[in-house]
Every structure is written in structure tokens, then in C-alpha cells.
Amino acid sequence: MRRRALLPLLPLAVGTMLLAACGNSDPEETEMDAETVLDAAGLSAPDLEASVADAPLKGDEAWSRVVTFSGPADVIDAWVADNFPDGIESRAFKDDMAAATERLGDDTQKKGDRIAEGVEGSAAFVVVVGQEDEPVVHVAVRQTGR
């Protein structure tokens, strides 16, 4: 008798398990780690602790994130060399340049910081490398289309 009473609940249980197993694969609604965000831009993840923050969406963007990390200058320079074989020669000639503020906001990029921009597939990125003894790196990555 108990088994018959539970039988109508079986489809509901199966459906719930399938939904849980499938999960939500929409990147804008799932948490993305630094490695995933940087990989979308064709960049490697640093061997450092990194944080990921949501960034405002614009136009047809599927998602937009900012990865931030810092470390000793030699470790940051090694990351730059791995990802930019010719280095990052562009230096900001003033604080809050448009390329950086559009994605990172005001007061993040300073005069003299190294700046790089690029596109990898449907992802575009802006990289700002600070000048401190332990430079702070901000990488804004956005992906267009769905």
C-alpha cells in the first residue's frame, strides 16, 4: 500500500533530479572562477589568489567579469610574459584612461600603468598592470553574443 502511495511522486522526483543534474549552464547566472574567465580571453590563470567580480553588461554582452590579482613583481612579470610574448609596452599617459575606466571604473588605472587590449573569439579584454612593488593586475573580460 505504501509503494502505491509513493508511485505518483516518482515522476516529480525524477524531474527534480534531472534538473539538478543538468544545472544552469548560462555563464551570466553561474559563478565563474578566474581560470574560466581568463581562459575565455585566451589568457592563462596566474599562480596567485585571484578574485572575480561581476561587471556591468552593455549591448549584446552575454557576460562581463573583472579578475583581480596581485603578487611579487617577478611573478606578475612572468604572467605578462606568458600571455603577451612581446610584453605590454603601452603605458597609460594619464589616470583613468577611457579604455580602462569603461570596464574597470574610475580610480583603478593610474598614469604609467601598463595597459593591453585584445579580442579572442567572442571575448574582448582589457588588462591593467599596476606599478607597485607587488603590482595589482585587473583583467576585464566580456563576451558578446549568446
Side-chain angles (χ1 to χ4, degrees), residues 7-84:
L7 198 53
L9 297 176
L10 184 60
L12 179 62
V14 169
T16 302
M17 287 188 292
L18 283 174
L19 285 174
C22 293
N24 186 352
S25 62
D26 193 358
E28 66 198 51
E29 295 185 18
T30 59
E31 186 120 353
M32 297 176 75
D33 64 7
E35 184 174 359
T36 303
V37 174
L38 294 172
D39 186 55
L43 303 171
S44 65
D47 230 2
L48 299 165
E49 187 174 323
S51 65
V52 179
D54 291 335
L57 294 174
K58 298 178 184 180
D60 68 344
E61 294 172 355
W63 56 265
S64 181
R65 306 283 194 275
V66 176
V67 176
T68 304
F69 56 92
S70 66
D74 59 333
V75 174
I76 298 299
D77 288 341
W79 180 83
V80 169
D82 286 346
N83 290 283
F84 302 93

Side-chain angles (χ1 to χ4, degrees), residues 3 15-16 24-25 28-29 42 55 57 69 74 77 80 87 93-96 100 102 108 120 128-129 137 141:
R3 288 184 189 162
T16 302
N24 186 352
S25 62
E28 66 198 51
E29 295 185 18
L57 294 174
F69 56 92
D74 59 333
D77 288 341
V80 169
F93 60 87
K94 65 177 187 168
D95 291 352
D96 295 330
E102 178 184 6
T108 300
E120 177 73 24
V128 174
V129 180
V137 178
V141 181

